[in-house]
Amino acid sequence: VRMMLVADAYFAQVCYRAKVACRRRQIPFLPVLLDRLSVMSAAVHIADTVIVGPGMYIAHGQVVLSGMTRIGRDSYFSPWSGLGLVSGNVVGPTIGDHLMLGTGSRILGPVTIGHNVTIGANSLVLHDVPDDATAIGNPARPVTATRPR
């Protein structure tokens, strides 16, 4: 309860997890209400087609995750970042474990992001990024082969 009062995006994540549980149990209307609460409280929208692994952390809200997207374990999303689609394709990104997505960054389309990847602030990822890499730019390109731990 303390985390929901202190961190606005944590409440949005609780709403997402509750929404998934309600959908699994085929409870009507409540998932839509939980999604709206998530958007109103922290401007976080996680689509029904997104599969999120454990340990996701959204720093301060203003995050959109959409499309047929799979997110691995322990992912970090900075404000104004997002995962989404490109025109004409319903498949979104596939994200490995331990992603760090910088402020204002976007990952779009059916790309694969490896494990232990950092995406720099305001970067636009349109192509695959290998494991243990840091990618920056618009469009983003890997700049290092290994990410510091």
Side-chain angles (χ1 to χ4, degrees):
V1 173
R2 179 184 165 278
M3 284 299 294
M4 286 190 282
L5 296 173
V6 174
D8 56 350
Y10 186 78
F11 177 69
Q13 291 176 26
V14 170
C15 288
Y16 166 74
R17 299 290 184 187
K19 176 178 84 166
V20 169
C22 289
R23 292 250 190 244
R24 196 175 310 126
R25 291 175 179 82
Q26 299 179 346
I27 298 172
F29 182 68
L30 192 54
V32 175
L33 178 63
L34 289 166
D35 186 53
R36 298 298 178 254
L37 279 172
S38 173
V39 172
M40 289 186 318
S41 67
V44 172
H45 173 70
I46 304 173
D48 291 340
T49 54
V50 176
I51 299 171
V52 178
M56 176 177 71
Y57 179 71
I58 299 174
H60 296 292
Q62 294 84 27
V63 171
V64 175
L65 309 176
S66 65
M68 295 176 65
T69 301
R70 179 178 296 273
I71 302 169
R73 302 173 63 85
D74 302 322
S75 296
Y76 176 88
F77 294 90
S78 297
W80 300 287
S81 62
L83 308 177
L85 306 173
V86 292
S87 180
N89 198 335
V90 297
V91 178
T94 301
I95 309 295
D97 297 340
H98 310 290
L99 168 75
M100 179 180 276
L101 192 59
T103 300
S105 298
R106 305 281 191 271
I107 302 174
L108 302 177
V111 299
T112 301
I113 306 300
H115 301 291
N116 303 311
V117 170
T118 299
I119 306 296
N122 295 316
S123 296
L124 175 63
V125 179
L126 299 172
H127 304 286
D128 294 351
V129 177
D131 291 350
D132 302 313
T134 298
I136 59 171
N138 185 358
R141 294 186 184 358
V143 293
T144 60
T146 59
R147 178 176 113 173
R149 296 185 193 257

